[in-house]
Amino acid sequence: MNASDRTPADLLRSALAADPARPLVTYYDDATGERVELSVATFANWVAKTANLIQDGLSAEPGERVALLLPAHWQTAVWLLACASTGVVADLGGDPAGADHVVAGPDRLEEGLACTGGRLALSLAPLGRRFPAPPAGYDDYAVEVPSQGDRFAPYVPVDADAPALAVPESAAGRTEPTEPAEPAELTGAELVERARSDARRRGLEPGSRLLSGLAWDSWEGVSAGLYAPLAAGGSVVLCRHLDRLTPEALAARIESERATHRADAS
């Protein structure tokens, strides 16, 4: 990957320039049987549309905070890169009452109403389907995003040294197991450096495919499930509810997806 990349959006642009047709995110939900595969080009198109929605639909400005009340999911990955493209801070699992805007999945809608700014709801249904009717107090992301432009240019250049991501630290990094997780707030440049370091630690390289079943409730999970493979020029097989698979089914998936590396709680 390009050594001059300093933000997550830079990493995505480099991936797009290198090979737009290769898979970037392959997503499984073993509670529903869903499988979605997004090439670099398709993923980048979702990111561009979502970034335009953030910038023009939400009128969010660089430095504002977007609470992402979302699980490990391909649409969450899109939101993380879209936030990075616009200069807003993606607060993964953050407090909606302290955020400028909130994006909530179907099981966290009530919690998200604490945000007094813009609110978007994601059904997280297969194929990104819309809700039958928009949840009260929210606009439906699946209704709003299709009309957005396929190309994105920020009104203000993104500052790589400005905050980009807030995410809880892993419990393994805390003194006491019961100690509340303090969020790690990373600039774009710090995020990219951490992702590169994680990629080296995991032995990832261009073409690697990392199968991850880790929850996105810590840096470790979101790094394995998105940032480290992206930084390495690889791809991720992102699995939600992986614990529902038998060992035989998991082995078959690793083989069928040509996974070269694995990250899960086992």
Side-chain angles (χ1 to χ4, degrees):
M1 299 299 284
N2 192 333
S4 66
D5 291 341
R6 297 195 68 226
T7 71
D10 291 340
L11 294 176
L12 182 58
R13 280 190 288 270
S14 290
L16 193 60
D19 186 357
R22 71 173 175 86
L24 180 62
V25 177
T26 304
Y27 173 75
Y28 283 88
D29 187 334
D30 288 300
T32 66
E34 178 185 7
R35 180 187 183 276
V36 174
E37 184 166 279
L38 292 90
S39 67
V40 177
T42 300
F43 184 83
N45 181 253
W46 275 94
V47 169
K49 284 180 172 291
T50 303
N52 279 312
L53 178 59
I54 293 170
Q55 183 169 261
D56 296 328
L58 292 178
S59 298
E61 297 182 356
E64 291 189 352
R65 187 169 295 260
V66 178
L68 299 179
L69 307 185
L70 301 168
H73 192 278
W74 68 267
Q75 288 188 320
T76 312
V78 166
W79 270 92
L80 288 169
L81 268 294
C83 288
S85 300
T86 59
V88 303
V89 182
D91 193 348
L92 194 55
D95 178 9
D100 298 288
H101 310 279
V102 68
V103 180
D107 58 344
R108 301 188 71 177
L109 295 171
E110 186 66 28
E111 181 183 352
L113 291 174
C115 178
T116 58
R119 304 189 199 106
L120 286 165
L122 274 66
S123 73
L124 302 181
L127 303 179
R129 290 199 307 267
R130 61 182 62 184
F131 289 91
Y138 287 86
D139 291 323
D140 188 339
Y141 170 70
V143 173
E144 302 298 326
V145 78
S147 62
Q148 300 296 322
D150 294 329
R151 295 182 181 275
F152 174 75
Y155 295 144
V156 179
V158 174
D159 182 358
D161 295 316
L165 175 72
V167 62
E169 287 281 21
S170 169
R174 304 202 295 275
T175 305
E176 298 293 338
T178 56
E179 182 183 347
E182 289 296 328
E185 189 161 295
L186 303 173
T187 68
E190 289 169 340
L191 190 160
V192 168
E193 184 51 43
R194 269 205 187 193
R196 285 174 171 153
S197 176
D198 288 353
R200 290 191 294 269
R201 175 174 57 83
R202 292 185 179 276
L204 302 180
E205 57 188 10
S208 293
R209 278 178 68 74
L210 173 61
L211 185 144
S212 177
L214 297 177
W216 283 9
D217 56 0
S218 69
W219 166 257
E220 181 184 8
V222 75
S223 175
L226 176 61
Y227 293 120
L230 179 61
S235 58
V236 64
V237 183
L238 181 62
C239 303
R240 191 177 178 206
H241 301 122
L242 188 63
D243 56 352
R244 301 194 181 197
L245 285 191
T246 65
E248 294 77 16
L250 176 57
R253 177 170 300 168
I254 291 170
E255 181 178 1
S256 68
E257 294 292 349
R258 302 182 301 282
T260 59
H261 298 73
R262 179 176 164 186
D264 57 47
S266 63

